[in-house]
Amino acid sequence: MLSQLRKMENRHIILWLLKDVSWMLGLKIIASIIMVPTFLLAFYICYKSRKIASDFYHNLAVSFWIIANGIWMIGEFYFENQTKTMALASFILGIVSLLYYYLIVKKIWLTN
């Protein structure tokens, strides 16, 4: 299962890069279309990694990061850059998911 998950993660990186390059080049339609499978694969990877806490919470943070990125991109393309606050909320949720993992699940604050 792990090697299959790694293959999905590698495909996900390709989609992510294609979305971001399309965004950078101002290819609105292509970037918007590629955003959908990028989101879906991020959440699928998150779901598949749910049994390993470290992988799950890191993949959850990546999923929130990709959502934030997509919100920011859509805001730049279609809403005169007015979605940064919503994007920030998603970035913060990614940080919170990692803080939860490290502080609550792993309890690193209890160690020296």
Side-chain angles (χ1 to χ4, degrees):
M1 181 182 121
L2 193 57
S3 65
Q4 187 179 22
L5 189 58
R6 294 292 174 244
K7 287 178 186 177
M8 279 191 281
E9 289 171 345
N10 291 340
R11 289 184 190 116
H12 183 249
I13 291 168
I14 293 168
L15 287 171
W16 194 349
L17 288 170
L18 287 172
K19 178 195 70 69
D20 282 355
V21 167
S22 298
W23 176 13
M24 183 192 76
L25 295 174
L27 304 171
K28 294 179 183 181
I29 301 299
I30 293 171
S32 299
I33 290 170
I34 293 173
M35 181 180 67
V36 175
T38 305
F39 283 173
L40 293 175
L41 195 50
F43 288 113
Y44 184 72
I45 291 167
C46 194
Y47 173 77
K48 286 300 223 180
S49 67
R50 72 192 182 282
K51 294 178 182 175
I52 303 169
S54 174
D55 290 350
F56 172 75
Y57 286 102
H58 284 86
N59 287 327
L60 184 61
V62 167
S63 297
F64 282 126
W65 180 3
I66 292 169
I67 290 171
N69 230 226
I71 291 169
W72 186 356
M73 179 189 78
I74 294 298
E76 280 188 9
F77 283 163
Y78 304 107
F79 297 103
E80 298 177 4
N81 217 15
Q82 297 296 312
T83 59
K84 283 188 178 179
T85 303
M86 289 190 313
L88 178 60
S90 190
F91 280 125
I92 290 170
L93 285 172
I95 292 168
V96 166
S97 67
L98 288 177
L99 287 173
Y100 179 82
Y101 171 70
Y102 285 107
L103 298 177
I104 306 300
V105 175
K106 285 200 60 125
K107 297 178 173 71
I108 62 164
W109 55 276
L110 291 176
T111 62
N112 293 331

